[in-house]
Amino acid sequence: MDQTAPPSVKDLIRKELHQDNSNGSSSVKLVNLQLTTLSDSSVLLLVNVERLSLRRNQLSTLPDSFVNLKKLRYLDLNGKEFREIPSIIYELPNLEILVLSQNKIKSLPHDVSMGRRWNKNLKILSLKNNRIQTINDILPFTKLESLSVLDIEGNYIPKEELDIVMSS
């Protein structure tokens, strides 16, 4: 009985990139693979990718090599394990859409506009269904120049705080 080993992450990336080369786009979907880490060698295969989905994995951090993904415009980290926005994401200058829904994020950085490259391009930020407890954590994000959608539905923010923001 011949049992073949499951494909490696690098093999899956290569397959996705090969399929995308035929239609000219640069997207990679590594969805629901139970990934707990990404190796630097896997990330280096992604340097020309513009759209990356890592949703429904078990990632809680991203490697430092993620800084090399300068062309990345869309990043989907919808999952279960992130407790904060990975700081390496701030080094992605072309990021326009960031999905961090359904994680365990409790608080957010308060210095999002200072020294952060992506603040000029980020248009959509989804923090839906996390554990954010106060609107004060969200307010710095409202100052991002290009941000048009900030989805905070399903967090633990008191209704009274949301009402104050909505009425102002």
Side-chain angles (χ1 to χ4, degrees), residues 101-116:
S101 300
Q102 298 182 354
N103 278 284
K104 298 175 182 174
I105 298 171
K106 285 185 177 181
S107 62
L108 301 169
H110 290 273
D111 62 345
V112 294
S113 62
M114 297 179 51
R116 308 293 192 200

Side-chain angles (χ1 to χ4, degrees), residues 73-104:
R73 293 179 27 240
Y74 171 92
L75 179 59
D76 184 351
L77 296 173
N78 179 313
K80 301 286 182 231
E81 301 303 320
F82 285 97
R83 296 184 183 278
E84 61 186 18
I85 296 177
S87 59
I88 200 73
I89 290 177
Y90 301 131
E91 301 301 320
L92 302 174
N94 291 309
L95 193 62
E96 295 176 7
I97 301 170
L98 176 58
V99 179
L100 278 162
S101 300
Q102 298 182 354
N103 278 284
K104 298 175 182 174

Side-chain angles (χ1 to χ4, degrees), residues 139-163:
L139 291 177
F141 285 87
T142 63
K143 294 178 175 61
L144 295 177
E145 294 173 24
S146 298
L147 193 68
S148 59
V149 175
L150 177 59
D151 190 351
I152 58 171
E153 180 184 346
N155 281 281
Y156 302 151
I157 300 169
K159 183 180 182 321
E160 300 78 35
E161 288 186 22
L162 291 173
D163 289 345

Side-chain angles (χ1 to χ4, degrees), residues 24-107:
S25 66
S26 58
S27 298
V28 171
K29 295 177 185 172
L30 301 172
V31 176
N32 204 20
L33 299 173
Q34 306 308 311
L35 298 175
T36 56
T37 61
L38 276 177
S39 69
D40 289 339
S41 56
S42 294
V43 172
L44 290 177
L45 292 172
L46 301 168
V47 293
N48 290 316
V49 169
E50 293 180 8
R51 291 174 298 284
L52 176 60
S53 179
L54 295 168
R55 70 185 298 126
R56 293 192 308 244
N57 282 292
Q58 302 300 317
L59 297 169
S60 61
T61 61
L62 296 173
D64 290 343
S65 56
F66 227 73
V67 73
N68 295 306
L69 305 184
K70 302 290 187 202
K71 295 182 179 181
L72 201 61
R73 293 179 27 240
Y74 171 92
L75 179 59
D76 184 351
L77 296 173
N78 179 313
K80 301 286 182 231
E81 301 303 320
F82 285 97
R83 296 184 183 278
E84 61 186 18
I85 296 177
S87 59
I88 200 73
I89 290 177
Y90 301 131
E91 301 301 320
L92 302 174
N94 291 309
L95 193 62
E96 295 176 7
I97 301 170
L98 176 58
V99 179
L100 278 162
S101 300
Q102 298 182 354
N103 278 284
K104 298 175 182 174
I105 298 171
K106 285 185 177 181
S107 62

Side-chain angles (χ1 to χ4, degrees), residues 16-27:
E16 289 267 333
L17 290 172
H18 178 72
Q19 288 174 342
D20 273 357
N21 278 341
S22 63
N23 65 19
S25 66
S26 58
S27 298

